[in-house]
């Protein structure tokens, strides 16, 4: 679950901040980050919502984030309108 640490740092959060925002103890969250324990589904859902990513992204299913949507050949507005996509098919980020 290395993406948890990556996301926490990208958002400029400390373990104390995560404890306050998500209600997950410092030690517990640190264990998630280091792969010592694994969060329950409910916790995964809460973390994904908090960081605005999919659970797949948290779990490492999608290997990269779309840094520049304009470099992707797809029209993201069209994906949202025609197909009801809510998340980027490449990185899992909410559109």
């Amino acid at each position: 679950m290395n993406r948890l640490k990556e996301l926490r740092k990208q958002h400029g959060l400390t373990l104390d901040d995560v404890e306050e925002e998500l209600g997950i103890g410092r030690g517990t969250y640190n264990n998630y980050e280091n792969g010592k324990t694994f969060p329950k589904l409910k916790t995964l859902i809460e973390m994904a919502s908090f960081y605005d990513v999919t659970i797949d992204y948290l779990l490492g299913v999608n290997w990269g984030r779309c840094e520049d949507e304009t470099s992707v050949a797809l029209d993201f507005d069209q994906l949202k309108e025609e197909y009801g996509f809510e998340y980027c098919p490449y990185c899992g980020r909410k559109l």
Side-chain angles (χ1 to χ4, degrees):
M1 300 277 310
N2 290 336
R3 292 215 168 143
L4 286 176
K5 189 171 195 172
E6 170 190 318
L7 287 165
R8 179 174 59 82
K9 290 191 178 272
Q10 282 178 358
H11 284 78
L13 300 171
T14 65
L15 290 171
D16 288 329
D17 295 331
V18 171
E19 182 174 25
E20 184 177 319
E21 293 291 327
L22 291 172
I24 300 171
R26 289 176 47 108
T28 301
Y29 193 86
N30 192 43
N31 286 338
Y32 295 160
E33 285 185 348
N34 295 317
K36 292 180 181 176
T37 59
F38 193 79
K40 294 180 180 180
L41 179 59
K42 179 183 177 199
T43 304
L44 280 171
I45 293 168
E46 290 169 355
M47 290 187 296
S49 177
F50 177 73
Y51 288 120
D52 198 24
V53 297
T54 64
I55 292 172
D56 287 350
Y57 183 79
L58 286 180
L59 298 176
V61 174
N62 297 314
W63 293 104
R65 290 187 63 109
C66 295
E67 297 297 330
D68 179 11
E69 292 176 0
T70 59
S71 69
V72 179
L74 297 172
D75 180 347
F76 287 91
D77 289 330
Q78 181 181 8
L79 286 175
K80 286 170 66 175
E81 290 173 21
E82 290 185 26
Y83 303 105
F85 281 22
E86 294 183 30
Y87 297 93
C88 173
Y90 293 104
C91 72
R93 184 171 39 101
K94 191 168 186 168
L95 299 174

